[in-house]
């Protein structure tokens, strides 16, 4: 039986403030990567959506309601309306609302078996849980949550594949995504899922190289060696570095350009995700493993913007891995909203290898020796 991805996310944009989260193996749900006083009024919100109610990490003792909810996003807050008609709720005391900055759980209290209306962790983004209000309006439970980032539009209340795909356009701003790692197959499968979800163009350096040369990469390796293949892929990466809205799967292993620190010049044109296979069984050991990789500095993949760790591999989990990629990228970009613009500037100045400290126009890489391109 194939092993499900461990689904670990680790962000290291500057190799300093490391942000680590763990997806526990669970083939039913991916959304496990990281409400209050009663009021009588709520503000008017736009862009209402009626969605089937679903939950993440539902309590094992609480059956999940099959009712629907209405979700709305305004400029400063989001509103959630849950249908509660027929649940015999007589007062607010029959309702349990538990909110934190990144999670939400609403239950109808019943002796021995509370009914979970919705439980999600994480929410699409952070809320000000102390400022959350809720009330009962006829047959609906209405909740208003203040957003910590009023500029970010929420497609849904929870972080899911659908909401991440819908919300990524405003976050990525057209910046391409490069997938690196030891497995060409994994890079290609996940790239296809990402491109489909985002409406981006899927590209594979392996397929581009084989189409142009009319030979397989394997035969190329045998005939000319890995240095020749890495150089050729670097040329391909240069030719597509100015492309917007593309997901590029790179060659896996040391024969690929991404496996060599001095070949990262054009990879920095987009957001890079390291798909890293691991034998770690828990968060602590996976954290230690990644810290060691960064400290050693011998693995060029640590130049990536984020890493998604996988325990085992099965193509059936490609969309789950793609979701982990988007979630990690969302966290990275929201921590520094200037990153997409900085990537665009890097491209306009010619992808000279000066990432992340982009130099002014006219900077000559050779003036500084250019001996450590692609390293931090």
């Amino acid at each position: 039986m194939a092993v499900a991805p461990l689904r670990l996310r680790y962000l290291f944009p500057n190799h300093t403030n490391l942000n680590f989260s763990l997806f526990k193996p669970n083939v039913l749900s991916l959304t496990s990567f990281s409400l209050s006083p009663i009021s009588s009024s709520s503000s008017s919100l736009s862009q209402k959506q009626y969605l089937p109610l679903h939950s993440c990490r539902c309590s094992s003792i609480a059956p999940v309601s099959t009712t629907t909810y209405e979700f709305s996003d305004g400029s400063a807050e989001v509103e959630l309306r849950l249908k509660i008609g027929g649940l015999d709720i007589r007062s607010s005391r029959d309702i349990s609302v538990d909110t934190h900055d990144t999670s939400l759980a609403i239950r109808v209290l019943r002796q021995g078996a509370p009914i979970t209306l919705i439980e999600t962790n994480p929410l699409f983004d952070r809320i000000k849980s102390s400022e959350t209000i809720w009330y009962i309006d006829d047959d609906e439970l209405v909740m208003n949550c203040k957003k910590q980032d009023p500029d970010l539009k929420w497609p849904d209340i929870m972080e899911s594949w659908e909401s991440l795909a819908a919300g990524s356009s405003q976050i990525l701003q057209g910046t391409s995504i490069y997938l690196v790692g030891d497995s060409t197959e994994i890079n290609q499968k996940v790239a296809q899922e990402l491109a489909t979800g985002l409406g981006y163009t899927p590209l594979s350096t392996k397929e581009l190289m084989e189409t142009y040369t009319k030979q397989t990469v394997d035969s190329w390796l045998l005939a000319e060696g890995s240095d020749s293949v890495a150089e050729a892929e670097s040329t391909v990466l240069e030719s597509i570095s100015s492309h917007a809205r593309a997901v590029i799967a790179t060659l896996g292993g040391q024969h690929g350009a991404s496996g060599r620190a001095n070949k990262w010049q054009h990879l920095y044109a987009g957001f890079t995700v390291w798909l890293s296979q691991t034998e770690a069984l828990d968060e602590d050991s996976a954290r230690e493993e990644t810290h060691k990789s960064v400290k050693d500095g011998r693995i060029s993949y640590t130049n990536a913007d984020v890493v998604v760790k996988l325990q085992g591999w099965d193509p059936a989990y490609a969309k789950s891995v793609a979701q982990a990629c988007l979630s990690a990228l969302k966290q990275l970009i929201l921590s520094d909203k200037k990153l997409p613009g900085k990537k665009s500037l890097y491209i306009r100045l010619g992808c000279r290898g000066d990432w992340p400290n982009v130099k002014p126009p006219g900077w000559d890489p050779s003036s500084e020796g250019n001996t450590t391109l692609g390293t931090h």
Side-chain angles (χ1 to χ4, degrees), residues 33-108:
F33 181 70
S34 288
L35 274 152
S36 325
I38 298 176
S39 173
S40 59
S41 63
S42 63
S43 59
S44 175
L45 299 173
S46 60
Q47 296 189 358
K48 294 183 181 294
Q49 302 176 19
Y50 292 87
L51 303 168
L53 181 65
H54 53 288
S55 66
C56 307
R57 288 186 170 180
C58 295
S59 170
S60 60
I61 64 171
V64 180
S65 172
T66 57
T67 186
T68 59
Y69 68 78
E70 174 189 335
F71 173 74
S72 311
D73 185 344
S75 60
E77 63 184 15
V78 293
E79 180 181 273
L80 183 69
R81 288 177 172 264
L82 292 172
K83 300 293 185 181
I84 57 175
L87 293 177
D88 191 27
I89 296 174
R90 300 178 182 180
S91 73
S92 60
R93 295 180 180 179
D94 295 333
I95 302 289
S96 169
V97 176
D98 184 19
T99 61
H100 300 279
D101 288 354
T102 60
S103 64
L104 162 67
I106 304 176
R107 297 182 178 89
V108 178

Side-chain angles (χ1 to χ4, degrees), residues 161-365:
W161 168 248
E162 291 77 14
S163 65
L164 285 168
S168 288
S169 59
Q170 64 175 316
I171 299 171
L172 292 170
Q173 298 178 31
T175 308
S176 292
I177 300 172
Y178 293 81
L179 301 183
V180 303
D182 285 331
S183 171
T184 302
E185 177 198 355
I186 294 177
N187 295 345
Q188 289 178 319
K189 295 291 186 182
V190 177
Q192 184 62 56
E193 292 290 350
L194 277 172
T196 300
L198 295 173
Y200 275 25
T201 301
L203 296 174
S204 164
T205 56
K206 178 177 184 289
E207 294 177 357
L208 291 172
M209 292 166 66
E210 292 180 343
T211 299
Y212 181 76
T213 62
K214 308 299 182 185
Q215 66 175 325
T216 66
V217 168
D218 289 340
S219 63
W220 193 338
L221 282 168
L222 290 173
E224 301 185 39
S226 60
D227 289 346
S228 175
V229 171
E231 190 63 38
E233 187 184 25
S234 183
T235 301
V236 171
L237 291 170
E238 179 179 4
S239 69
I240 61 179
S241 61
S242 60
H243 283 42
R245 297 178 176 83
V247 183
I248 299 96
T250 64
L251 289 175
Q254 290 302 306
H255 56 269
S258 63
R260 304 174 180 221
N262 64 345
K263 299 294 185 184
W264 272 70
Q265 181 175 348
H266 296 96
L267 285 166
Y268 291 130
F271 289 111
T272 48
V273 180
W274 174 18
L275 301 180
S276 173
Q277 293 179 283
T278 180
E279 295 182 358
L281 299 178
D282 53 52
E283 179 178 337
D284 289 339
S285 55
R287 184 194 298 271
E288 181 180 353
E289 176 184 79
T290 309
H291 269 292
K292 186 176 185 299
S293 296
V294 173
K295 184 178 179 179
D296 289 348
R298 290 180 293 181
I299 301 177
S300 62
Y301 299 139
T302 58
N303 289 318
D305 294 302
V306 299
V307 60
V308 175
K309 283 191 170 290
L310 314 172
Q311 185 190 62
W313 168 249
D314 186 320
Y317 293 109
K319 182 177 287 188
S320 295
V321 178
Q323 180 176 337
C325 294
L326 288 184
S327 182
L329 287 172
K330 184 190 74 170
Q331 291 186 45
L332 170 69
I333 298 171
L334 291 181
S335 70
D336 184 357
K337 295 182 180 179
K338 295 182 180 180
L339 279 173
K342 190 175 178 181
K343 291 285 187 181
S344 178
L345 174 63
Y346 178 78
I347 294 171
R348 294 198 304 273
L349 292 177
C351 298
R352 301 169 301 181
D354 50 341
W355 185 267
N357 302 312
V358 181
K359 302 295 190 297
W363 175 73
D364 181 7

